[in-house]
Amino acid sequence: MAATAIPVQLQVDDTRRVSALLDRPDEAKACLVLAHGAGAGMRHPSMTSLAEGLAERGIATLRYQFPYMEQGGRRPDPPPLCHATVRTAVAEARRLMPGAALFAGGRSFGGRMTSQAQAIEALADVKGLVFFAFPLHPAGKPDAARAAHLGKVRIPMLFLQGTRDALADLTLLEPLAAELGARAALKTLEGADHSFHVLARSGREDEEVRREMLDAAAGWLTAAR
């Protein structure tokens, strides 16, 4: 059974404070610091599903808000503020889960902000990064420029991507993962889009994709710790 989420407050700087939720199953051996996507906060059903699904698999999560989302805004914060928020969340996760292996990442935008922060300066004690639908490029504009910073990330990375993801053309993402070598693992989810939704005609269901994704994430986190 999934753990009950524990409310947490994060002090990003002198003027900014954001909310977070800690899902901590009994005897968790790993904790994933989980950032939300650009348009939906930590309480969105997709984020809750990730946190609860990982908790069922023995992985703790600390999901948190970026300041703009905490304030009800729609425009994401500038990258430096996002990076500072990532670092604050990682530090709090380390304090709350001192015996667990620490990982970081997130959904779409949140995953990219986490990888940028790691590329600029290594996140303390973080053993690897997990990306749930890494946003490689805008929809309809395939390009790999957004991934240039990943070459500076020296810890393992897991990419969980749908084969219909309009924000991650696999003809670009697969060579990128190969270029990153042993640091990168790519798990593709057949028929899934950027929200991990599958079409009815595919013969698959969203719940099947969810289970496959969560099993892959939990397996990787357990092995990487």
Side-chain angles (χ1 to χ4, degrees):
M1 181 179 295
T4 300
I6 302 168
V8 176
Q9 290 291 311
L10 306 178
Q11 191 73 45
V12 179
D13 57 27
D14 291 342
T15 62
R16 296 179 181 89
R17 191 175 177 88
V18 298
S19 303
L21 291 169
L22 176 66
D23 288 79
R24 182 169 56 190
D26 293 339
E27 300 182 2
K29 302 299 184 184
C31 179
L32 175 63
V33 183
L34 186 63
H36 60 74
M42 68 178 182
R43 294 185 184 275
H44 188 270
S46 65
M47 291 290 289
T48 300
S49 177
L50 285 178
E52 292 181 349
L54 288 170
E56 290 167 359
R57 292 161 174 79
I59 306 295
T61 58
L62 180 69
R63 49 189 154 123
Y64 60 95
Q65 302 277 69
F66 287 112
Y68 78 95
M69 188 63 69
E70 185 80 353
Q71 297 162 9
R74 294 186 177 183
R75 176 175 291 187
D77 301 306
L81 179 53
C82 290
H83 302 161
T85 307
V86 171
R87 294 187 190 283
T88 300
V90 166
E92 183 65 7
R94 176 75 295 157
R95 187 184 73 82
L96 294 170
M97 300 290 296
L102 195 60
F103 297 85
R107 278 279 293 122
S108 192
F109 168 82
R112 185 161 64 93
M113 291 301 101
T114 302
S115 61
Q116 286 181 357
Q118 174 69 29
I120 292 167
E121 182 180 348
L123 298 165
D125 297 325
V126 168
K127 295 181 176 296
L129 304 181
V130 181
F131 307 121
F132 295 92
F134 188 87
L136 188 59
H137 52 74
K141 299 180 180 179
D143 186 86
R146 283 184 176 178
H149 68 282
L150 294 177
K152 298 178 181 178
V153 174
R154 313 313 300 177
I155 56 177
M157 293 169 274
L158 172 63
F159 294 82
L160 297 148
Q161 302 286 154
T163 60
R164 290 194 306 114
D165 191 339
L167 278 64
D169 187 326
L170 287 180
T171 65
L172 296 174
L173 186 59
E174 288 174 340
L176 170 66
E179 184 178 336
L180 292 170
R183 286 174 291 155
L186 172 60
K187 168 63 176 176
T188 58
L189 299 157
E190 186 61 37
D193 64 12
H194 191 66
S195 298
F196 300 109
H197 170 67
V198 290
L199 299 174
R201 66 172 181 267
S202 70
R204 306 188 79 198
E205 295 182 352
D206 289 359
E207 180 57 27
E208 178 184 349
V209 172
R210 175 183 175 273
R211 289 196 303 268
E212 183 181 351
M213 177 177 65
L214 288 168
D215 286 346
W220 187 87
L221 287 163
T222 300
R225 72 168 191 255

